Amino acid sequence: QDVQRQLSDWMAGSYYNIGGSGRVIAGDVVTIFAGVKAKCSETDAKCTATLYSGTNVSAAVQASENADVVFICGGATSTEGRDRTSLSVDDEAFLTEVAAALKTKLPVVALTMIPAQTLMPWIDNVEAALSVFLAGSYTGDAFAAAIFGCSNPSAKLPITIPKTEEDTILPCQEVECEYSEKLKVGLAAYEGKSVTFPFGHGLSYATFQYSSLHVSKGCSPGLPKVCSGSVLCVLATIKNTGLVYSGVEVAQLYLTYPESAGEPAKLLRGFVRTGDLKPDGHEEVAFPLFERDVSIYGPSGW
């Protein structure tokens, strides 16, 4: 983390913070290696963390010979006022080649620090992947807590992770640009395309089961208070079916309109974060749908 460089360049960012007017420069950062090494010393796992920080594939593979698991780490940053030159993390080719070389030898886990969408060409050659969005000073501690199971992840992707840059809406380089995609932006831009991870994806050490799904009119008696004033209210019960970990689930509700409406195939119309559910614990969640939620905008208004 080069704090002095960022202080002298308003637009400079890093793997720990963005560049530009919205940034808060992270000082005294905990790197991924430092976080994992510290966690090794705190636990009964009796693990030893070693670091290879070069970009030579053969040297990296050799350095991993006595390892039980290998973490490949990469990152990218971003700043306001200009487009990123690509969706690749730095040293993408190195990470991809190392993952491929070790696939049949050792479990490999990819850890990435990213500002938004990135490509993950190594994904088929790793056992797991964990990403954070430019997480600040304690980035390494956050990674380590998830890796060692001290923290159970519950986040869901607010973006889609594409397979290729060509699957995205590429920046226009001209003075005048025609945006022909219309409503097919964000989640909808990937309709019919194979992606690495879809919008809303996110794993946990716990597993969850959805049941008792039903839709009621908002005025029906006995509904949760949150449904008051809604047109419809969707209810479901979420149960932690795991055996070990407590966990939090983020349930999502999507609507599909008739094809004649000309809307994207799926529209996010609600999400609910459960409390911390112990194994075998359950919680009822409710998604109120108000008139605006089930309306679309046309030439004559809503």
Side-chain angles (χ1 to χ4, degrees), residues 38-236:
K39 192 62 69 176
C40 277
S41 66
E42 294 174 8
T43 67
D44 297 327
K46 297 180 181 179
C47 61
T48 300
T50 58
L51 174 67
Y52 173 76
S53 58
T55 55
N56 182 283
V57 175
S58 297
V61 171
Q62 185 176 2
S64 68
E65 284 184 352
N66 296 318
D68 296 306
V69 62
V70 173
F71 297 98
I72 57 173
C73 306
T77 192
S78 183
T79 188
E80 64 179 316
R82 64 178 73 130
D83 290 320
R84 291 155 61 195
T85 56
S86 76
L87 295 185
S88 297
V89 298
D90 296 338
D91 299 318
E92 176 189 87
F94 167 72
L95 299 176
T96 304
E97 291 175 33
V98 170
L102 294 176
K103 180 180 181 180
T104 60
K105 300 178 181 179
L106 289 166
V108 179
V109 177
L111 308 177
T112 48
M113 301 169 284
I114 58 177
Q117 291 173 315
T118 55
L119 303 180
M120 298 183 178
W122 54 78
I123 198 65
D124 291 332
N125 292 323
V126 299
E127 296 291 324
L130 177 63
S131 295
V132 300
F133 294 109
L134 307 186
S137 296
Y138 296 99
T139 292
D141 288 339
F143 272 112
I147 289 167
F148 283 82
C150 303
S151 174
N152 190 359
S154 62
K156 305 296 183 182
L157 278 173
I159 56 175
T160 299
I161 302 296
K163 284 187 176 294
T164 69
E165 290 186 355
E166 288 69 29
D167 290 330
T168 68
I169 299 172
L170 298 173
C172 175
Q173 305 293 331
E174 307 300 324
V175 175
E176 294 186 5
C177 301
E178 179 183 356
Y179 292 96
S180 58
E181 61 272 12
K182 298 182 179 179
L183 296 178
K184 297 297 182 71
V185 296
L187 164 65
Y190 298 93
E191 288 180 8
K193 297 177 181 178
S194 176
V195 300
T196 300
F197 293 114
F199 179 97
H201 174 81
L203 299 180
S204 166
Y205 290 129
T207 54
F208 299 96
Q209 180 186 69
Y210 288 66
S211 63
S212 304
L213 179 67
H214 61 280
V215 181
S216 300
K217 291 184 177 180
C219 58
S220 300
L223 293 178
K225 186 177 180 180
V226 69
C227 298
S228 177
S230 64
V231 177
L232 297 171
C233 204
V234 181
L235 294 97

Side-chain angles (χ1 to χ4, degrees), residues 18-35:
I18 61 170
S21 62
R23 72 179 180 181
V24 176
I25 299 176
D28 298 322
V29 299
V30 179
T31 65
I32 295 175
F33 176 67

